[in-house]
Amino acid sequence: MTHELRAIDARSPQAVMVALRAALSGGPAINPRIDDSWPVDLPAEVEKRVAVVIETSGSTGQAKRVALSAGALLSGAAAADAALSGPGQWVLALPGHYVAGLNVLVRSIAAETEPALLPVGHFDPQAFLDAAARLTHAARYTSLVPAQLGRVLDLAEADRAGQRILGRFDAVLVGGQATPAALLSRAEKAGVRVVRTYGSSETSGGCVYDGVPVGQTLAAVVDGQLELSGPTLAEYYLRDPARTEAAFVEREGRRWYRTGDAGSVGPDGRVTVIGRLDDVIISGGEKVSLGVVERAVRELPGFADAVVVRAPSERWGEVPVVVAVAPPIDLGALRAAVTSVVGRSAAPDRLVVVDSIPLLPSGKPDRAQLARLA
């Protein structure tokens, strides 16, 4: 059975919320978009079990259309409520065509509370604090990306009233990318309870809070890749069976999503995310292919087995790091050699020397372990 799929202009959060409420109750499915266009390859109908289609781009930039059921989205809302301080009132500061923004609306609908909606577009930290001050529910939440949190803290640190408003949030969820330790420290000093979230559109948004899987989420690592399972998983990628088959696998009767991230799961179940398994990073605003850097490094005498991995940088976002055994030259010479071949933005930030390169059973370098070293 199928039903209608409607494109909804996410520039109007109110319109998204009205359409979303109907979709979660079995009405027409929605595809929130940042414009009012209708792509020629977007079907007019989808399977009845699909409530929302989220369009997202992976690290390759190739668009994905993630089909989510009402059950998956509401399971995510219930898991969040259980992990936080129960149902509450939210400030929507993220666009509704992203899963994190959509989830603010889903959780508001589930809690039967009215969210404070910010205009879509340029983020105004003062408007955010003003919206937060209007919340009346006993439990108060918002969801931000690190850059937004930084701007709000800039304002609140200079304004005691703003700091009090921030401190009234039961949780400020922060996700979308790694959150710098310095930013977390600032938030703690300001009395802001930050909860770091991890997830994706394929998991109905964040399903790991501060390293702990929430609700019925399970985490595992297979061949160095982090996999997630639970009731919040997407149905499939719309009209893309090959990508669906590659991303979603079944083992022993349980369905898993292969995240594409390197990570680990500790004995206590705590999840650590190391970084993408693909080889593209954004360093100083520029895309850098770790594979290209690695090929250039391996052309140098004495670096035939060297491996290039990513590492976080508070200044540049992420940087390439070279791991090698007994390198014949120092970092300065290595940076100069790489720059001459692939450009300045690809110059390695560090050179890590090891006794041997750890390998997977397949014989390939264990990039997850090397990333931890870096």
Side-chain angles (χ1 to χ4, degrees), residues 14 17 21 88-91 108 111-117 135-136:
Q14 295 90 343
M17 189 162 181
R21 182 178 281 110
Q89 193 176 14
W90 292 74
V91 175
S108 299
E112 298 183 344
T113 57
E114 193 66 31
L117 307 176
L135 299 182
T136 57

Side-chain angles (χ1 to χ4, degrees), residues 248-265:
F248 296 93
V249 297
E250 189 166 318
R251 292 194 306 275
E252 300 178 354
R254 180 175 289 276
R255 191 161 172 262
W256 294 83
Y257 167 59
R258 308 178 73 204
T259 65
D261 287 325
S264 63
V265 180

Side-chain angles (χ1 to χ4, degrees), residues 297 302-303 305-311 319-331 334 348-358 369-374:
V297 169
F303 285 89
D305 296 321
V307 178
V308 177
V309 295
R310 71 184 68 223
V319 290
V321 174
V322 175
V323 184
V325 177
I329 57 177
D330 62 16
L331 177 62
L334 177 62
D349 184 73
R350 296 195 298 281
L351 175 59
V352 177
V353 181
V354 295
D355 294 330
S356 62
I357 300 293
Q369 185 174 344
L370 290 168
R372 286 193 290 271
L373 288 173

